[in-house]
């Protein structure tokens, strides 16, 4: 018996559903990639922008003028020597400061020279400052540049060393306090300006330290010979990686991959292959004209059931009885049954994935 009517049981997603599902997966995938890439913050473009740069050079020189004496033939001693206090007439100090900018920017500067006596007293094995006195050697001097890039200052200072020695001596005698004293002479300069809304504010100082009330001493100097600095626009501080954004992107990417794997066969309408499906496809291909695929199983109510060992016997029955064979898939892609009904007898062959 020939019958071309079939009733497909396997559910196949409609084209619009497959395309929609694929579109959702692609959207998730692209969105996750964008989120992951944007979670890595790009460096601020202003990081490489240089508005202005400047260099500062500092130097100082001094010589110690001496009273006429029968011990030292020279009228003065130079730097980095050892000096006898009673022979010192005065100390000549020359401060040299140079500021060089990368371009013309209006700048204001102010500087002074201050000498400070610091007196310390040993208290419980620790030196504590008990006295300080300040002397202005060079009053505040102000300047401004508008049409050039550099500031050059040479400031000579004459230091009456004996005067400060005597001040300390008198302090010790009158108060009967055996203090340790030193004279700190500081040249201090401050340069200010503005470039593209960014402030320029640079302060430098050169320091000389003289021990007082000592028969012989050395002078200690402290300053930064060279200094470079750059003015850049403000840079927004960002973390290199936005952790929350990165985690969300990874979760979304994992979801897209999981859905794609889960519905891969449904999206591309790819049938599963195993021993069962291979044998089933072979049977349907060879005997499709005598097999009807049904949606619902054949009712076995009040039927005498006869189980058939192999499918060839079902073919023999069909040829003999001229009754079509019905196929119902009991477990999708794993098991199905072929049935043939004649009178009150139901012949059944079960095809399994074995």
């Amino acid at each position: 018996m020939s019958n071309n009517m079939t009733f497909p049981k396997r559910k196949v997603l409609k084209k619009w559903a497959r395309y929609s599902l694929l579109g959702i997966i692609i959207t998730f995938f692209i969105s996750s990639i964008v989120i992951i890439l944007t979670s890595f913050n790009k460096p601020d473009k202003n990081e490489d922008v240089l508005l202005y740069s400047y260099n500062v050079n500092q130097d100082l020189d001094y010589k110690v003028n001496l009273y006429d004496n029968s011990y030292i033939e020279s009228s003065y001693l130079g730097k980095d020597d050892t000096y006898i206090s009673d022979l010192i007439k005065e100390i000549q100090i020359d401060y040299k400061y140079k500021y060089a900018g990368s371009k013309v920017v209006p700048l204001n500067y102010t500087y002074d020279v201050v000498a400070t006596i610091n007196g310390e007293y040993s208290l419980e094995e620790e030196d504590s400052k008990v006295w300080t006195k300040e002397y202005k050697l060079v009053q505040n001097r102000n300047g401004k540049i508008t049409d050039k890039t550099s500031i050059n200052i040479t400031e000579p200072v004459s230091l009456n060393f004996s005067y400060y020695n005597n001040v300390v001596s008198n302090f010790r005698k009158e108060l009967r306090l055996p203090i340790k004293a030193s004279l700190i002479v500081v040249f201090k300069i401050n340069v200010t300006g503005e470039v593209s809304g960014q402030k320029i504010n640079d302060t430098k100082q050169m320091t000389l330290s003289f021990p007082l009330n000592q028969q012989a001493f050395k002078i200690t100097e402290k300053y930064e010979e060279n200094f470079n600095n750059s003015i850049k626009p403000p840079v927004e501080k960002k973390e290199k990686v936005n952790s929350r954004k990165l985690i969300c992107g990874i979760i979304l990417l994992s979801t897209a991959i999981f859905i794609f794997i889960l519905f891969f066969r449904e999206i591309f309408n790819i049938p599963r292959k195993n021993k069962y499906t291979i044998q089933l496809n072979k049977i349907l291909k060879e005997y499709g004209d005598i097999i009807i695929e049904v949606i619902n199983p054949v009712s076995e109510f009040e039927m005498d059931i006869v189980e058939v060992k192999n499918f060839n016997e079902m073919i023999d029955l069909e040829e003999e009885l001229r009754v079509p064979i019905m196929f119902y898939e009991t477990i999708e892609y794993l098991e199905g049954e072929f049935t043939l009904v004649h009178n009150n007898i139901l012949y059944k062959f079960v095809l399994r994935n074995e």
Side-chain angles (χ1 to χ4, degrees), residues 10-249:
R10 289 182 184 146
K11 295 180 180 178
V12 178
L13 291 178
K14 293 183 179 180
K15 187 178 289 187
W16 68 266
R18 289 189 284 120
Y19 286 168
S20 299
L21 189 58
L22 186 61
I24 292 171
I25 293 171
I26 292 173
T27 302
F28 278 18
F29 182 80
I30 294 175
S31 300
S32 65
I33 296 299
V34 171
I35 292 172
I36 290 172
L37 291 177
T38 55
S39 68
F40 296 93
N41 293 319
K42 295 180 180 179
D44 196 309
K45 61 181 181 179
N46 287 335
E47 284 186 6
D48 299 325
V49 177
L50 179 63
L51 299 176
Y52 180 74
S53 64
Y54 63 89
N55 179 67
V56 174
N57 291 313
Q58 297 185 114
D59 191 20
L60 62 82
D61 193 13
Y62 58 87
K63 68 177 182 178
V64 178
N65 294 325
L66 305 176
Y67 289 111
D68 291 337
N69 64 89
S70 57
Y71 305 105
I72 300 175
E73 293 181 358
S74 176
S75 61
Y76 70 90
L77 295 175
K79 285 181 68 173
D80 302 323
D81 211 336
T82 301
Y83 313 101
I84 300 172
S85 296
D86 292 340
L87 300 181
I88 296 175
K89 183 179 181 180
E90 65 177 0
I91 301 174
Q92 293 289 338
I93 307 170
D94 289 317
Y95 292 102
K96 296 179 181 179
Y97 174 89
K98 183 177 181 180
Y99 176 104
S102 59
K103 62 182 180 181
V104 175
V105 172
L107 296 172
N108 297 298
Y109 63 90
T110 179
Y111 70 91
D112 60 14
V113 180
V114 177
T116 306
I117 296 176
N118 289 322
E120 295 181 341
Y121 179 73
S122 182
L123 187 65
E124 296 181 357
E125 298 183 356
E126 289 186 7
D127 291 335
S128 300
K129 188 182 289 187
V130 294
W131 177 49
T132 182
K133 190 169 183 180
E134 195 172 276
Y135 301 87
K136 204 88 166 183
L137 302 183
V138 176
Q139 297 295 330
N140 286 346
R141 294 186 179 175
N142 303 311
K144 184 175 182 179
I145 62 170
T146 57
D147 57 353
K148 55 183 181 179
T149 61
S150 62
I151 301 170
N152 289 283
I153 298 172
T154 299
E155 186 65 44
V157 175
S158 179
L159 190 68
N160 187 345
F161 184 75
S162 300
Y163 171 78
Y164 301 106
N165 244 348
N166 292 333
V167 171
V168 173
S169 296
N170 293 333
F171 181 89
R172 296 177 69 175
K173 288 177 183 179
E174 290 179 12
L175 298 179
R176 296 179 182 181
L177 193 64
I179 63 170
K180 290 192 299 183
S182 61
L183 180 68
I184 310 297
V185 182
V186 179
F187 171 92
K188 185 177 182 181
I189 183 169
N190 178 245
V191 179
T192 59
E194 185 173 322
V195 55
S196 300
Q198 300 302 305
K199 300 291 184 182
I200 301 171
N201 190 352
D202 187 84
T203 300
K204 293 288 177 288
Q205 61 184 35
M206 291 178 272
T207 303
L208 287 174
S209 179
F210 307 82
L212 296 175
N213 275 192
Q214 291 188 15
Q215 291 181 339
F217 64 90
K218 292 181 76 70
I219 300 173
T220 304
E221 56 188 68
K222 182 181 178 182
Y223 62 94
E224 190 174 12
E225 291 186 13
N226 295 290
F227 175 79
N228 296 285
N229 193 24
S230 299
I231 306 297
K232 295 183 177 182
V235 176
E236 184 180 356
K237 292 184 177 179
K238 297 179 180 178
E239 293 182 356
K240 290 185 178 180
V241 179
N242 187 326
S243 300
R244 287 186 178 180
K245 207 171 183 180
L246 180 61
I247 292 171
C248 289

